[in-house]
Amino acid sequence: MSEICAATVLAEIGPTVEALETDGHLASWAGICPGSYESAGIKKSSHIRQGNHYIKQALTMSELIAAHSKDPAFSSLYNRISQRGSKMKAVIACAHKILRIIYKLLATHQPYQKEKALGLRQQF
């Protein structure tokens, strides 16, 4: 994520995330949460919500860069979802993942760790 995108996200969210209970609330406020429309067990098309335009634009632009980078946490997610369907759905899914990581970093005050982003767990 570039410094400008990170500054934009921090300017919109604020230095703390105490006002938001979970990362889902932040994603919903930003308009990055995936929508679902299901009726009688049949899944229909879904759209993302209208949210904070500045955060959404910063996250999608940084995700387009991260999807083609060497970081396996985002490039593998982007490739896996884009093979199933739309490339824009993959961008939104990865932007949602970036926003959840940002929330966890701000809430716990810990540095970013690639192993946790990949979802790897150490087995003893």
PDB file of all heavy atoms in Angstrom, residues 11 16 18-19 21 28 36 53 56 64-66 69 72-73 83-84 86 88 93 97 107 113 119:
ATOM      1  N   ALA A  11      -6.777   9.068   7.412  1.00  0.00           N
ATOM      2  CA  ALA A  11      -7.476  10.343   7.564  1.00  0.00           C
ATOM      3  C   ALA A  11      -8.983  10.142   7.670  1.00  0.00           C
ATOM      4  O   ALA A  11      -9.662  10.847   8.416  1.00  0.00           O
ATOM      5  CB  ALA A  11      -7.155  11.264   6.396  1.00  0.00           C
ATOM      6  N   THR A  16      -7.611   5.823  15.786  1.00  0.00           N
ATOM      7  CA  THR A  16      -8.103   4.684  16.554  1.00  0.00           C
ATOM      8  C   THR A  16      -9.403   4.194  15.929  1.00  0.00           C
ATOM      9  O   THR A  16     -10.098   4.928  15.238  1.00  0.00           O
ATOM     10  CB  THR A  16      -8.367   5.050  18.030  1.00  0.00           C
ATOM     11  OG1 THR A  16      -9.390   6.054  18.058  1.00  0.00           O
ATOM     12  CG2 THR A  16      -7.115   5.559  18.691  1.00  0.00           C
ATOM     13  N   GLU A  18     -11.866   2.825  17.870  1.00  0.00           N
ATOM     14  CA  GLU A  18     -12.710   2.566  19.035  1.00  0.00           C
ATOM     15  C   GLU A  18     -14.189   2.779  18.743  1.00  0.00           C
ATOM     16  O   GLU A  18     -15.040   2.184  19.393  1.00  0.00           O
ATOM     17  CB  GLU A  18     -12.281   3.463  20.189  1.00  0.00           C
ATOM     18  CG  GLU A  18     -10.895   3.151  20.710  1.00  0.00           C
ATOM     19  CD  GLU A  18     -10.407   4.170  21.719  1.00  0.00           C
ATOM     20  OE1 GLU A  18     -11.124   5.157  21.965  1.00  0.00           O
ATOM     21  OE2 GLU A  18      -9.313   3.984  22.252  1.00  0.00           O
ATOM     22  N   ALA A  19     -14.506   3.617  17.766  1.00  0.00           N
ATOM     23  CA  ALA A  19     -15.906   3.879  17.451  1.00  0.00           C
ATOM     24  C   ALA A  19     -16.562   2.707  16.733  1.00  0.00           C
ATOM     25  O   ALA A  19     -17.783   2.574  16.738  1.00  0.00           O
ATOM     26  CB  ALA A  19     -16.017   5.134  16.591  1.00  0.00           C
ATOM     27  N   GLU A  21     -17.062  -1.369  16.310  1.00  0.00           N
ATOM     28  CA  GLU A  21     -16.968  -2.559  17.144  1.00  0.00           C
ATOM     29  C   GLU A  21     -16.132  -3.670  16.504  1.00  0.00           C
ATOM     30  O   GLU A  21     -15.329  -4.296  17.177  1.00  0.00           O
ATOM     31  CB  GLU A  21     -18.369  -3.084  17.441  1.00  0.00           C
ATOM     32  CG  GLU A  21     -19.194  -2.126  18.291  1.00  0.00           C
ATOM     33  CD  GLU A  21     -20.598  -2.649  18.518  1.00  0.00           C
ATOM     34  OE1 GLU A  21     -20.828  -3.851  18.308  1.00  0.00           O
ATOM     35  OE2 GLU A  21     -21.446  -1.848  18.905  1.00  0.00           O
ATOM     36  N   SER A  28     -18.432  -2.307   6.317  1.00  0.00           N
ATOM     37  CA  SER A  28     -19.758  -1.843   5.936  1.00  0.00           C
ATOM     38  C   SER A  28     -19.797  -0.330   5.794  1.00  0.00           C
ATOM     39  O   SER A  28     -20.394   0.209   4.863  1.00  0.00           O
ATOM     40  CB  SER A  28     -20.785  -2.301   6.967  1.00  0.00           C
ATOM     41  OG  SER A  28     -22.067  -1.842   6.641  1.00  0.00           O
ATOM     42  N   SER A  36     -24.988  -9.743  -0.550  1.00  0.00           N
ATOM     43  CA  SER A  36     -25.568 -11.020  -0.942  1.00  0.00           C
ATOM     44  C   SER A  36     -27.070 -10.836  -1.085  1.00  0.00           C
ATOM     45  O   SER A  36     -27.717 -10.199  -0.260  1.00  0.00           O
ATOM     46  CB  SER A  36     -25.259 -12.101   0.090  1.00  0.00           C
ATOM     47  OG  SER A  36     -25.831 -11.772   1.315  1.00  0.00           O
ATOM     48  N   HIS A  53     -16.367   7.154  -0.258  1.00  0.00           N
ATOM     49  CA  HIS A  53     -15.770   7.141  -1.593  1.00  0.00           C
ATOM     50  C   HIS A  53     -14.249   7.180  -1.549  1.00  0.00           C
ATOM     51  O   HIS A  53     -13.580   6.513  -2.335  1.00  0.00           O
ATOM     52  CB  HIS A  53     -16.308   8.328  -2.394  1.00  0.00           C
ATOM     53  CG  HIS A  53     -15.673   8.486  -3.733  1.00  0.00           C
ATOM     54  ND1 HIS A  53     -15.929   7.619  -4.773  1.00  0.00           N
ATOM     55  CD2 HIS A  53     -14.779   9.387  -4.204  1.00  0.00           C
ATOM     56  CE1 HIS A  53     -15.223   8.004  -5.825  1.00  0.00           C
ATOM     57  NE2 HIS A  53     -14.521   9.069  -5.505  1.00  0.00           N
ATOM     58  N   LYS A  56     -12.809   3.752  -0.395  1.00  0.00           N
ATOM     59  CA  LYS A  56     -13.049   2.752  -1.427  1.00  0.00           C
ATOM     60  C   LYS A  56     -12.084   2.937  -2.597  1.00  0.00           C
ATOM     61  O   LYS A  56     -11.505   1.977  -3.105  1.00  0.00           O
ATOM     62  CB  LYS A  56     -14.490   2.849  -1.909  1.00  0.00           C
ATOM     63  CG  LYS A  56     -14.943   1.653  -2.696  1.00  0.00           C
ATOM     64  CD  LYS A  56     -16.354   1.801  -3.205  1.00  0.00           C
ATOM     65  CE  LYS A  56     -17.340   2.069  -2.122  1.00  0.00           C
ATOM     66  NZ  LYS A  56     -18.717   2.086  -2.615  1.00  0.00           N
ATOM     67  N   LEU A  64      -5.199  -3.091  -6.752  1.00  0.00           N
ATOM     68  CA  LEU A  64      -4.771  -3.389  -8.116  1.00  0.00           C
ATOM     69  C   LEU A  64      -3.260  -3.523  -8.185  1.00  0.00           C
ATOM     70  O   LEU A  64      -2.725  -4.352  -8.922  1.00  0.00           O
ATOM     71  CB  LEU A  64      -5.258  -2.290  -9.067  1.00  0.00           C
ATOM     72  CG  LEU A  64      -6.745  -2.307  -9.381  1.00  0.00           C
ATOM     73  CD1 LEU A  64      -7.137  -1.068 -10.163  1.00  0.00           C
ATOM     74  CD2 LEU A  64      -7.109  -3.561 -10.147  1.00  0.00           C
ATOM     75  N   ILE A  65      -2.559  -2.733  -7.393  1.00  0.00           N
ATOM     76  CA  ILE A  65      -1.101  -2.829  -7.345  1.00  0.00           C
ATOM     77  C   ILE A  65      -0.691  -4.084  -6.579  1.00  0.00           C
ATOM     78  O   ILE A  65       0.215  -4.814  -6.990  1.00  0.00           O
ATOM     79  CB  ILE A  65      -0.508  -1.568  -6.704  1.00  0.00           C
ATOM     80  CG1 ILE A  65      -0.794  -0.359  -7.602  1.00  0.00           C
ATOM     81  CG2 ILE A  65       0.985  -1.714  -6.473  1.00  0.00           C
ATOM     82  CD1 ILE A  65      -0.518   0.970  -6.957  1.00  0.00           C
ATOM     83  N   ALA A  66      -1.343  -4.360  -5.457  1.00  0.00           N
ATOM     84  CA  ALA A  66      -0.980  -5.519  -4.630  1.00  0.00           C
ATOM     85  C   ALA A  66      -1.301  -6.839  -5.316  1.00  0.00           C
ATOM     86  O   ALA A  66      -0.625  -7.839  -5.076  1.00  0.00           O
ATOM     87  CB  ALA A  66      -1.704  -5.445  -3.288  1.00  0.00           C
ATOM     88  N   SER A  69       1.624  -7.864  -7.345  1.00  0.00           N
ATOM     89  CA  SER A  69       2.907  -7.798  -6.657  1.00  0.00           C
ATOM     90  C   SER A  69       3.379  -9.207  -6.317  1.00  0.00           C
ATOM     91  O   SER A  69       2.749 -10.203  -6.656  1.00  0.00           O
ATOM     92  CB  SER A  69       2.792  -6.960  -5.387  1.00  0.00           C
ATOM     93  OG  SER A  69       2.024  -7.638  -4.431  1.00  0.00           O
ATOM     94  N   PRO A  72       2.371 -12.962  -1.647  1.00  0.00           N
ATOM     95  CA  PRO A  72       1.454 -14.076  -1.940  1.00  0.00           C
ATOM     96  C   PRO A  72       0.114 -13.966  -1.229  1.00  0.00           C
ATOM     97  O   PRO A  72      -0.846 -14.610  -1.638  1.00  0.00           O
ATOM     98  CB  PRO A  72       2.233 -15.307  -1.476  1.00  0.00           C
ATOM     99  CG  PRO A  72       3.193 -14.798  -0.471  1.00  0.00           C
ATOM    100  CD  PRO A  72       3.539 -13.399  -0.885  1.00  0.00           C
ATOM    101  N   ALA A  73       0.018 -13.162  -0.178  1.00  0.00           N
ATOM    102  CA  ALA A  73      -1.246 -13.059   0.546  1.00  0.00           C
ATOM    103  C   ALA A  73      -2.330 -12.454  -0.332  1.00  0.00           C
ATOM    104  O   ALA A  73      -3.491 -12.861  -0.262  1.00  0.00           O
ATOM    105  CB  ALA A  73      -1.056 -12.214   1.804  1.00  0.00           C
ATOM    106  N   GLN A  83     -10.171 -16.154 -11.373  1.00  0.00           N
ATOM    107  CA  GLN A  83     -10.358 -17.299 -12.255  1.00  0.00           C
ATOM    108  C   GLN A  83     -11.801 -17.777 -12.257  1.00  0.00           C
ATOM    109  O   GLN A  83     -12.273 -18.331 -13.249  1.00  0.00           O
ATOM    110  CB  GLN A  83      -9.450 -18.452 -11.830  1.00  0.00           C
ATOM    111  CG  GLN A  83      -8.005 -18.219 -12.140  1.00  0.00           C
ATOM    112  CD  GLN A  83      -7.114 -19.308 -11.577  1.00  0.00           C
ATOM    113  OE1 GLN A  83      -7.582 -20.196 -10.872  1.00  0.00           O
ATOM    114  NE2 GLN A  83      -5.828 -19.233 -11.887  1.00  0.00           N
ATOM    115  N   ARG A  84     -12.505 -17.547 -11.165  1.00  0.00           N
ATOM    116  CA  ARG A  84     -13.902 -17.989 -11.067  1.00  0.00           C
ATOM    117  C   ARG A  84     -14.859 -17.048 -11.771  1.00  0.00           C
ATOM    118  O   ARG A  84     -15.966 -17.437 -12.118  1.00  0.00           O
ATOM    119  CB  ARG A  84     -14.324 -18.091  -9.609  1.00  0.00           C
ATOM    120  CG  ARG A  84     -13.774 -19.291  -8.920  1.00  0.00           C
ATOM    121  CD  ARG A  84     -14.405 -19.453  -7.572  1.00  0.00           C
ATOM    122  NE  ARG A  84     -13.713 -18.622  -6.609  1.00  0.00           N
ATOM    123  CZ  ARG A  84     -14.249 -18.139  -5.510  1.00  0.00           C
ATOM    124  NH1 ARG A  84     -15.509 -18.380  -5.229  1.00  0.00           N
ATOM    125  NH2 ARG A  84     -13.548 -17.408  -4.684  1.00  0.00           N
ATOM    126  N   SER A  86     -15.472 -12.483 -12.313  1.00  0.00           N
ATOM    127  CA  SER A  86     -15.098 -11.118 -12.620  1.00  0.00           C
ATOM    128  C   SER A  86     -13.805 -10.700 -11.923  1.00  0.00           C
ATOM    129  O   SER A  86     -13.545 -11.062 -10.784  1.00  0.00           O
ATOM    130  CB  SER A  86     -16.236 -10.193 -12.195  1.00  0.00           C
ATOM    131  OG  SER A  86     -15.848  -8.856 -12.283  1.00  0.00           O
ATOM    132  N   MET A  88     -13.229  -7.588 -11.141  1.00  0.00           N
ATOM    133  CA  MET A  88     -13.603  -6.554 -10.177  1.00  0.00           C
ATOM    134  C   MET A  88     -14.041  -7.174  -8.853  1.00  0.00           C
ATOM    135  O   MET A  88     -13.806  -6.596  -7.800  1.00  0.00           O
ATOM    136  CB  MET A  88     -14.708  -5.670 -10.754  1.00  0.00           C
ATOM    137  CG  MET A  88     -14.872  -4.367 -10.037  1.00  0.00           C
ATOM    138  SD  MET A  88     -13.341  -3.433 -10.121  1.00  0.00           S
ATOM    139  CE  MET A  88     -13.617  -2.261  -8.840  1.00  0.00           C
ATOM    140  N   ALA A  93     -12.788  -8.120  -3.154  1.00  0.00           N
ATOM    141  CA  ALA A  93     -12.486  -9.098  -2.102  1.00  0.00           C
ATOM    142  C   ALA A  93     -11.119  -8.823  -1.475  1.00  0.00           C
ATOM    143  O   ALA A  93     -10.955  -8.905  -0.251  1.00  0.00           O
ATOM    144  CB  ALA A  93     -12.529 -10.513  -2.663  1.00  0.00           C
ATOM    145  N   LYS A  97     -10.048  -7.539   2.325  1.00  0.00           N
ATOM    146  CA  LYS A  97      -9.017  -8.163   3.157  1.00  0.00           C
ATOM    147  C   LYS A  97      -8.027  -7.122   3.677  1.00  0.00           C
ATOM    148  O   LYS A  97      -7.628  -7.163   4.841  1.00  0.00           O
ATOM    149  CB  LYS A  97      -8.282  -9.235   2.350  1.00  0.00           C
ATOM    150  CG  LYS A  97      -7.246  -9.982   3.159  1.00  0.00           C
ATOM    151  CD  LYS A  97      -6.637 -11.114   2.372  1.00  0.00           C
ATOM    152  CE  LYS A  97      -5.668 -11.880   3.233  1.00  0.00           C
ATOM    153  NZ  LYS A  97      -5.166 -13.065   2.561  1.00  0.00           N
ATOM    154  N   ALA A 107      -6.363  -1.830  15.902  1.00  0.00           N
ATOM    155  CA  ALA A 107      -6.994  -2.249  17.149  1.00  0.00           C
ATOM    156  C   ALA A 107      -5.995  -2.878  18.117  1.00  0.00           C
ATOM    157  O   ALA A 107      -6.078  -2.670  19.326  1.00  0.00           O
ATOM    158  CB  ALA A 107      -8.130  -3.231  16.865  1.00  0.00           C
ATOM    159  N   GLN A 113       2.303  -8.811   9.826  1.00  0.00           N
ATOM    160  CA  GLN A 113       3.052 -10.047   9.684  1.00  0.00           C
ATOM    161  C   GLN A 113       2.487 -10.823   8.494  1.00  0.00           C
ATOM    162  O   GLN A 113       1.288 -11.105   8.449  1.00  0.00           O
ATOM    163  CB  GLN A 113       2.956 -10.898  10.948  1.00  0.00           C
ATOM    164  CG  GLN A 113       3.558 -10.231  12.159  1.00  0.00           C
ATOM    165  CD  GLN A 113       3.326 -11.036  13.432  1.00  0.00           C
ATOM    166  OE1 GLN A 113       2.675 -12.064  13.412  1.00  0.00           O
ATOM    167  NE2 GLN A 113       3.871 -10.547  14.521  1.00  0.00           N
ATOM    168  N   GLY A 119      -2.570 -16.700   6.494  1.00  0.00           N
ATOM    169  CA  GLY A 119      -3.428 -17.641   7.196  1.00  0.00           C
ATOM    170  C   GLY A 119      -2.690 -18.897   7.628  1.00  0.00           C
ATOM    171  O   GLY A 119      -3.300 -19.899   7.933  1.00  0.00           O
TER     172      GLY A 119
END
